[in-house]
Amino acid sequence: KKKLKISGRELMSVPAQVFGLDQLQVLEMSPERESCLRYRMELLPREISHLRNLTCLYVDSNNLKKIPAEIGTLSHLERLTLSNNSLSSLPPEMGALQRLHSLHLANNSLTELPAPLCQLRSLTFLDVSDNKIGRIPSSIRQLEKLETLLLLFNSLESLPEDVCLLKNLHTLWLGNNQLRALPTSFGELVNLDWGYNYCSCNFEGNPLESPPPEVCSRGPEEIRDYFLSFCRT
């Protein structure tokens, strides 16, 4: 068996037999999105390390409070979904998941973007929306391949200039934070799909003053001109 889905409203733990499936590649323990269900599992067992061939692990919409350090041994993991849980921190060992390209952490209780995540050089998709994150570390610049960064509904008051070094970003959602100003190099993110697709870079719900929202909505050239005008004066 290469793929296994475990379901059930009363799911509280992973059946022990699963950890004997050493050829398993995809393990899903999440309810269907449309069902609005939430499973009851609070701990991901350390025995998850036995599944060395996992490429995809789906554990959305449970009640996870902790991720074991052993998650870092899953060297083949490419996709990890942990949204809609009760996580307040992540183990530093996650920085070892160098094949990971998609990480979903929306709707947890994270207060910061853990530094180990910035070591995931293969990451192209990161969703940390609807947490309590108040700061983005400057080490985020290491995510050279990142294409999608979702930061909606957090507590961000500022962004580091290093975000502007993420030249492969195509989608950046910053809505519903506490941002009053953008980095002066923000207009350098020219690969964002500005055009008429405003949702590719979302600022709504922020008390933006510099630049004001009407300037932001016009795209990178207008943002660059706005900051250049201050340099001239």
Side-chain angles (χ1 to χ4, degrees), residues 41-55:
M41 185 163 54
E42 295 187 2
L43 295 174
L44 193 62
R46 290 181 296 177
E47 289 79 7
I48 196 73
S49 62
H50 296 175
L51 304 179
R52 295 295 178 91
N53 288 298
L54 273 187
T55 58

Side-chain angles (χ1 to χ4, degrees), residues 122-137:
S122 295
L123 211 59
T124 61
F125 181 98
L126 176 59
D127 182 1
V128 286
S129 301
D130 205 1
N131 277 279
K132 303 172 185 176
I133 294 172
R135 188 181 71 87
I136 302 296

Side-chain angles (χ1 to χ4, degrees), residues 19-208:
F19 302 120
L21 303 174
D22 56 3
Q23 296 304 309
L24 197 63
Q25 293 179 349
V26 179
L27 177 57
E28 184 173 352
M29 297 178 287
S30 303
E32 300 295 335
R33 290 188 178 183
E34 300 79 15
S35 69
C36 298
L37 287 177
R38 193 165 183 137
Y39 294 166
R40 299 170 61 188
M41 185 163 54
E42 295 187 2
L43 295 174
L44 193 62
R46 290 181 296 177
E47 289 79 7
I48 196 73
S49 62
H50 296 175
L51 304 179
R52 295 295 178 91
N53 288 298
L54 273 187
T55 58
C56 299
L57 178 58
Y58 303 94
V59 208
D60 294 306
S61 299
N62 277 272
N63 194 27
L64 293 177
K65 294 178 169 59
K66 185 178 180 181
I67 301 299
E70 286 76 7
I71 194 80
T73 66
L74 302 179
S75 59
H76 293 282
L77 204 61
E78 298 176 359
R79 184 177 177 86
L80 176 60
T81 68
L82 297 167
S83 297
N84 303 318
N85 279 288
S86 302
L87 297 170
S88 58
S89 63
L90 297 171
E93 288 79 6
M94 281 188 66
L97 302 176
Q98 289 304 310
R99 294 193 187 184
L100 198 68
H101 60 72
S102 181
L103 178 58
H104 298 239
L105 293 165
N107 194 21
N108 276 283
S109 299
L110 299 172
T111 57
E112 61 181 359
L113 192 63
L117 299 192
C118 298
Q119 301 171 19
L120 302 176
R121 301 297 181 86
S122 295
L123 211 59
T124 61
F125 181 98
L126 176 59
D127 182 1
V128 286
S129 301
D130 205 1
N131 277 279
K132 303 172 185 176
I133 294 172
R135 188 181 71 87
I136 302 296
S138 60
S139 53
I140 195 171
R141 65 179 180 272
Q142 298 179 40
L143 301 181
E144 301 167 353
K145 296 183 180 180
L146 198 63
E147 297 178 1
T148 300
L149 177 58
L150 308 183
L151 290 160
L152 295 89
F153 292 98
N154 276 289
S155 303
L156 294 171
E157 296 183 358
S158 64
L159 290 176
E161 287 280 346
D162 302 81
V163 168
C164 305
L165 298 175
L166 301 176
K167 300 301 184 182
N168 287 308
L169 272 185
H170 289 273
T171 302
L172 176 60
W173 289 0
L174 298 165
N176 293 91
N177 279 281
Q178 302 299 318
L179 296 172
R180 293 188 176 277
L182 297 178
T184 55
S185 302
F186 197 85
E188 300 303 316
L189 293 174
V190 293
N191 283 324
L192 288 175
D193 183 20
W194 296 89
Y196 295 100
N197 186 11
Y198 181 46
C199 68
S200 70
C201 191
N202 177 286
F203 306 101
E204 294 176 1
N206 284 283
L208 272 177

Side-chain angles (χ1 to χ4, degrees), residues 207-233:
L208 272 177
E209 298 173 355
S210 177
E214 60 271 19
V215 173
C216 292
S217 65
R218 295 178 197 143
E221 293 84 4
E222 291 286 341
I223 292 175
R224 282 200 297 265
D225 289 346
Y226 175 87
F227 284 116
L228 281 172
S229 68
F230 279 97
C231 294
R232 296 190 192 104
T233 57

